């Protein structure tokens, strides 16, 4: 999908959230000098194309008691990785699931699944659940816990299409 | 943005209605003129009560934001997860050099021989390799690139 200047202004205006007012799209439209119907149509088009994944609230996992997370990594048979990734990604405790290239010999893992839980024991139990899902298609796994956030700036929208 | 609350809320901070709101609004939200009125109807809440509850949840730090989630790649731009094995005695020096690049978005220390994991975010795909190469030159350490090959639909939700 090609985003035009109005789409990009709309993204910039709503990236931090929608106004919590009865007619939020009208309010955004007023900010941008558009009309409400256009804002709604543009958001709907972006949602259809996957530029917007969802319009939703973001729970604060720490505040809600889900303070443990680990990046589990798996060496999965290449022929079955796609099929099994679909199953792992759909688990309700996995927040990201990707296939990535291995970096042999240092790094034999090709599937990454971020696991969340209320404590490390729970995360480890969920890791065993994933191991059961993968069965004999998996030839080794590991889990990496984050010990420090070294930088967190978030992603900025590129200024232009360039 | 102000710092995110990292401590758990007290047990009694959320009532059943708050929990129902959090459970219900993680998936979709109407694109209509009065979306809170519409979303409130399914929850048995008036428009104004849903709005004031959401404001309160945000003030408490139970939710971090409410609105559209954009796919960073679909908006244009390239992203790549990277990892380095940094010897402990060089960690701070290497960290300073890595973080000095504005393209380094997130950076985490993790429990592994590959102990520094960061995401590079650039406008164009070819810039990823250039920044990674610059970091290798500056630090003398290998930067492993783990680009996304396939991403799976995510079923993750908090169920309270």
């Amino acid at each position: 999908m090609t985003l035009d200047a109005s789409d990009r202004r709309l993204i910039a205006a709503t990236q931090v959230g929608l106004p919590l007012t009865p007619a939020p799209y009208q309010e955004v439209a007023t900010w941008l000098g558009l009309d409400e119907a256009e804002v709604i149509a543009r958001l709907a088009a972006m949602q259809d194309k996957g530029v917007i994944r969802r319009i939703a609230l973001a729970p604060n996992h720490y505040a809600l008691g889900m303070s443990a997370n680990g990046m589990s990594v798996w060496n999965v048979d290449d022929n079955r990785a796609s099929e099994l990734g679909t199953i792992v990604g759909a688990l309700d405790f996995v927040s990201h699931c990707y296939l990535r290239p291995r970096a042999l010999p240092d790094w034999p893992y090709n599937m990454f699944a971020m696991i969340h839980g209320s404590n490390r024991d729970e995360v480890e139990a969920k890791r065993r659940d994933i191991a059961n899902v993968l069965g004999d298609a998996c030839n080794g796994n590991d889990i990496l816990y984050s010990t420090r956030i070294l930088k967190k700036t978030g992603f900025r929208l590129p200024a232009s299409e360039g | 943005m102000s710092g995110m609350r990292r401590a758990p809320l007290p047990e009694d901070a959320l009532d059943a209605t708050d929990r129902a709101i959090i459970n219900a609004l993680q998936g979709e939200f109407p694109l209509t003129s009065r979306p809170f009125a519409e979303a409130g109807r399914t929850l048995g809440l008036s428009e104004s009560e849903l709005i004031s509850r959401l404001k309160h949840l945000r003030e408490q730090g139970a939710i971090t934001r409410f609105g559209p989630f954009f796919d960073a790649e679909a908006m244009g731009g390239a992203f790549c997860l990277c990892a380095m094995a940094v010897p402990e005695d060089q960690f701070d020096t290497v960290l300073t050099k890595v973080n000095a690049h504005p393209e380094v978005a997130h950076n985490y220390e993790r429990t592994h021989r590959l102990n520094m994991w960061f995401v590079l975010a650039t406008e164009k795909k070819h810039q990823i390799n250039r920044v990674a190469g610059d970091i290798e030159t500056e630090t003398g350490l290998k930067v492993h690139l783990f680009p996304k090959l396939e991403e799976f639909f995510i079923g993750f939700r908090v169920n309270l």
Side-chain angles (χ1 to χ4, degrees), chain A residues 1 3 8 10-11 14-25 36 40 43-44 46-47 49-67 69-71 81-86 89-103 106-107 109 111-112 114 116 120 142-162, chain B residues 1 4-9 14 21-22 25-37 47 51 54-55 57-58 60-72 74-77 79-81 91-92 95 98-117 119-124 144-160:
Chain A
M1 175 181 193
L3 302 173
R8 302 178 80 81
L10 186 51
I11 291 168
T14 56
Q15 244 175 346
V16 295
L18 283 175
L20 295 175
T21 53
Y25 307 119
E36 182 190 40
I40 290 176
L43 291 172
M46 284 194 268
Q47 193 157 28
K49 299 293 182 195
V51 175
I52 294 176
R53 297 191 160 176
R54 61 190 181 281
I55 301 173
L57 57 78
N60 177 349
H61 301 112
Y62 296 95
L64 300 173
M66 301 259 288
S67 52
N69 64 75
M71 185 173 80
S82 246
E83 156 216 342
L84 289 164
T86 305
L91 298 168
D92 66 2
F93 54 81
V94 171
S95 68
H96 303 79
C97 187
Y98 302 111
L99 297 186
R100 303 184 185 278
R102 297 179 178 85
D106 294 349
W107 187 261
Y109 309 111
M111 181 187 289
F112 288 57
M114 190 65 73
H116 294 258
R120 213 172 259 202
D142 200 347
I143 189 162
L144 284 69
Y145 292 100
S146 69
T147 40
R148 256 197 300 169
I149 298 175
L150 304 172
K151 187 177 188 182
K152 190 160 192 173
T153 53
F155 300 119
R156 283 182 308 267
L157 179 66
S160 70
E161 282 295 328
Chain B
M1 210 183 294
M4 187 179 84
R5 182 191 177 95
R6 297 187 84 80
L9 290 164
L14 306 179
I21 290 170
I22 291 173
L25 294 186
Q26 289 175 63
E28 48 190 36
F29 189 66
L31 276 166
T32 54
S33 286
R34 304 295 287 267
F36 294 102
E47 178 183 64
I51 289 174
L54 284 169
K55 284 183 180 164
L57 288 169
R58 204 175 51 185
Q60 279 178 300
I63 66 176
T64 53
R65 62 188 287 275
F66 180 84
F69 282 77
F70 295 98
D71 175 357
M75 295 196 301
F79 300 88
C80 187
L81 179 67
F91 198 88
D92 290 345
L95 175 60
V98 170
N99 278 1
H101 292 266
E103 296 88 353
V104 173
H106 300 168
N107 191 355
Y108 288 88
E109 180 182 45
R110 292 193 181 276
T111 53
H112 192 271
R113 200 177 75 79
L114 292 177
N115 54 352
M116 189 182 288
W117 290 78
V119 173
L120 288 179
T122 60
E123 284 205 41
K124 301 279 176 231
H144 293 283
L145 298 181
F146 296 105
K148 183 162 69 177
L149 300 179
E150 190 171 345
E151 176 173 2
F152 301 102
F153 174 81
I154 287 305
F156 182 61
R157 12 189 342 122
V158 172
N159 285 300
L160 300 176

